[in-house]
Amino acid sequence: MSDVLELQDVSVVREGRALVDQVSWSVKEGERWVILGPNGAGKTTLLNIASSYLYPSKGTATILGETLGTPGTDVFELRPRIGMAGLAMADKLPKKQTVLQTVLTAAYGMTAGWQEEYEDIDEQRARAFLDRLGMSEYLDRKFGTLSEGERKRTLIARALMTDPELLLLDEPAAGLDLGGREDLVRRLGRLARDPIAPSMIMVTHHVEEIAPGFTHVLMIRQGKILAAGPLELELTSRNLSLCFGLPLVVEQVGDRWTAQGLPMV
Ligand SMILES: Nc1ncnc2c1ncn2[C@@H]1O[C@H](COP(=O)(O)OP(=O)(O)OP(=O)(O)O)[C@@H](O)[C@H]1O
Ligand SMILES: [Mg+2]
């Protein structure tokens, strides 16, 4: 299996501090990773590297076979191969565009600029992705008027539009109510199990948000890797407790996960 992402000794240093500290990590084709870690651990920074928008201060990052910062790598060719759905993207998108336009513009590598020249085939694809995310009834709604959950689902549909080889999701379920979370986990699970779906890396704060079909977990704390490997092996009470710095018990219930703190004694 070839590498989707290969980080070797990657550090990101800002103001003398390592936000990501000597991280070596590889994601192979067919794997779907969850990144867990406390606030400020460096999760979003790692995703920014994986999306090719941030270069490591030290070490090498190879994404879909292209090594960042080397003469043979053109990030403008690389970026359409990567789908990114995160809050930073939501802020860049015009609020007055409709949901359909918001997804459709992704096919043209733009965040704005609705034109009349969009191909029918692209519109059909945009509609199909929105349908898959349960957004068919919102096609003509302005992006800026959507609820948090609706916006997140639109962003995922948008990230899928370029048919990416790698899909990056930064806290896709944050801010959703219980029904919204369960709905999204179900949809992500369906996507994760789809053999032609892209490789996925999802950042989350809650093990309850890990959809069936995800295979691996990376735990980070203060920029350093604490555990990395198959969920069944690494998502243990011990690792999770070390990661978040408090005693936690993690359990697998069916094909889902749950975690809670140990009662105080
Ligand atoms: N440009 C920057 N300059 C200095 N510090 C930064 C910069 N960008 C991020 N940081 C810091 O780096 C650390 C890691 O940030 P990051 O956004 O990757 O954390 P995170 O794990 O995604 O956290 P959260 O769970 O809160 O989203 C944080 O302490 C943040 O304040
Ligand atoms: Mg973050």
Side-chain angles (χ1 to χ4, degrees), residues 11 147 191 252 256:
S11 296
S147 80
L191 197 61
Q252 194 170 9
R256 298 284 297 278

Side-chain angles (χ1 to χ4, degrees), residues 1-6 25-35 64 165-169 191-202 211-218 228-231:
M1 279 191 289
S2 56
D3 280 343
V4 170
L5 178 71
E6 170 91 51
W25 173 38
S26 82
V27 173
K28 313 264 185 236
E29 219 171 278
E31 294 176 350
R32 324 243 193 250
W33 283 73
V34 176
I35 304 181
L64 301 169
E165 291 155 70
L166 173 61
L167 179 64
L168 307 171
L169 304 166
L191 197 61
R193 282 183 303 233
D194 183 345
I196 61 157
S199 299
M200 287 163 71
I201 303 175
M202 175 181 80
F214 275 79
T215 59
H216 288 69
V217 64
L218 178 81
L231 275 168

